Amino acid sequence: MRLADRTTRIAGSPTMKVTATVDRLRRAGVEVIDFGAGEPDFPTPDAIKAAAHEALDKNFTRYTPAAGIADLKRAICDRYRTDYGVEYSESEVIVTAGGKQALNNTALALFGPGDEVITHAPYWPTIPEQIKLADATPVIVKTQPEDAFAIHPEAIILNSPGNPTGALIDESAVAAIAEEAARRDIWVVVDLCYEQLIYEPVPHNLPKTLFDRHRAKTVLCGSASKSYAMTGWRCGWTVAPKELTSVFNIIQGQTTSNITSVTQKAALAAISGSQDAVTVMLDEYRQRRDNIHAWLTAHPGIQCVKPKGAFYLFPNIGALLAPGTTSTDFAQALLEKEHVVVTPGEAFDAPGYLRISYATSMEQLREGATRILRFAESLQHAAAR
Ligand SMILES: Cc1ncc(COP(=O)(O)O)c(C=O)c1O
């Protein structure tokens, strides 16, 4: 079969592979603890669902403008003004099918053959694959962003709070990147998909930090998926200069068009309504984070910084690996022996680590932690023998 060249450059989503394994085991009747999924376990809040019901009842089921309905774009601008103090107009917003399409529109509009695009590891695996789909070359920064500026970048993509680490990028680091990017005239793209899921009140006004220094070449990518437990609804957005937003509009208009009309009404209720449901979910995630972190780090072979945002723990299990084995081997053996799904660090360009999603119930976390600790003990006994 003759396929386009670009298909040979990209890999499938490793997190989707995990989901497929879980499905298979569950169908075979195995009781699996799933720490693999990258999505909230909460249902979408009632007020958001009610807005969707109302939209359906009123037959709001036709095409909308490709870039989204005006009310929703306005609500996104209002939210960014209120949350970050940045001023954008509706013509600078496009509503997308999740943060994924927001980032993909950006890649298609900005990157091309010969371009190098910097991003940081451990990364969310879609980011380098989208860069490759746009025929550009990902440049993965593992040290300081300044080191990578030694090459010839076209853009830099930042993700904070980060998947898989839950780390936040400091405002001061983003200010330095923005100033350097402005000097070199390169684009800064920020994936803010977990922006509402930050546990402590630390300064994290990345939009304003960039707005003040580099508004003309900043793309903010957001999503309703994680904050509002709306992964299946598919709603994200970009906030970017008008000229670029017009290009996004053309790309999207010729590919997927508008996102689901009913989703747009639901997202409008989510973004412009009370944010109390977000706080309730965040409080629950915080407790889960504290517990799973305490349970797992009680084992001396598991090192883990406490994540500051998102809903992933990213422990280093290097000390538990037998010589010549990898975290992928560890994850496979854990799945076979204890029926616990985790994502190995290799998926994020971070061998020796595991990603554990704590977007699952406290009972599942307790049971999963017990199984992981038992598995870690069994490895140490085997090594001692
Ligand atoms: C870092 C990051 N960015 C963006 C996304 C995209 O999510 P969605 O397309 O559901 O908005 C994800 C989803 O896992 C993510 O982890």
Side-chain angles (χ1 to χ4, degrees), residues 127-339:
I127 290 176
E129 298 309 322
Q130 288 188 344
I131 295 169
K132 288 190 260 171
L133 259 183
D135 297 325
T137 307
V139 177
I140 309 302
V141 180
K142 289 194 177 177
T143 54
Q144 296 305 312
E146 285 80 2
D147 296 342
F149 286 125
I151 49 135
H152 302 289
E154 177 64 23
I156 177 163
I157 304 180
L158 306 173
N159 169 219
S160 181
N163 174 5
T165 60
L168 302 182
I169 305 180
D170 280 350
E171 285 181 356
S172 60
V174 173
I177 291 168
E179 277 153 25
E180 189 62 18
R183 207 169 63 74
R184 291 169 182 261
D185 197 31
I186 68 176
W187 286 90
V188 181
V189 181
V190 199
D191 176 356
L192 289 166
C193 156
Y194 296 92
E195 65 191 309
Q196 310 280 6
L197 303 182
I198 296 179
Y199 297 107
E200 271 76 46
V202 291
H204 189 258
N205 193 338
L206 306 192
K208 178 85 168 126
T209 305
L210 286 160
F211 184 92
D212 286 347
R213 291 166 180 81
H214 198 38
R215 185 195 200 283
K217 283 207 159 179
T218 289
V219 182
L220 308 174
C221 296
S223 173
S225 289
K226 319 286 177 167
S227 317
Y228 302 109
M230 290 183 72
T231 46
W233 299 76
R234 310 308 300 135
C235 181
W237 51 85
T238 50
V239 178
K242 193 173 167 186
E243 301 70 30
L244 183 61
T245 302
S246 309
V247 178
F248 293 159
N249 198 355
I250 293 170
I251 292 173
Q252 195 163 305
Q254 300 296 21
T255 50
T256 57
S257 289
N258 62 277
I259 70 161
T260 310
S261 55
V262 173
T263 288
Q264 294 186 60
K265 289 288 190 185
L268 175 61
I271 291 167
S272 56
S274 158
Q275 302 296 296
D276 290 353
V278 181
T279 311
V280 170
M281 290 188 273
L282 185 64
D283 289 345
E284 175 66 24
Y285 287 136
R286 187 185 298 103
Q287 281 205 337
R288 294 173 183 179
R289 173 198 66 164
D290 291 346
N291 286 353
I292 185 86
H293 182 266
W295 292 332
L296 291 183
T297 54
H299 193 289
I302 302 178
Q303 310 291 326
C304 188
V305 290
K306 225 182 203 187
K308 295 195 168 117
F311 39 60
Y312 308 105
L313 210 64
F314 201 58
N316 185 319
I317 45 109
L320 295 174
L321 297 178
T325 65
T326 63
S327 33
T328 300
D329 300 329
F330 183 101
Q332 259 160 17
L334 179 65
L335 184 52
E336 274 156 34
K337 295 219 173 96
E338 293 287 357
H339 304 142

Side-chain angles (χ1 to χ4, degrees), residues 5-22:
D5 282 352
R6 77 179 66 83
T7 61
T8 64
R9 286 194 291 271
I10 58 156
S13 159
T15 43
M16 300 249 177
K17 277 187 212 149
V18 173
T19 312
T21 313
V22 177

Side-chain angles (χ1 to χ4, degrees), residues 13-33:
S13 159
T15 43
M16 300 249 177
K17 277 187 212 149
V18 173
T19 312
T21 313
V22 177
D23 279 355
R24 184 168 48 74
L25 282 170
R26 286 205 173 127
R27 275 200 308 275
V30 176
E31 200 233 311
V32 176
I33 304 274

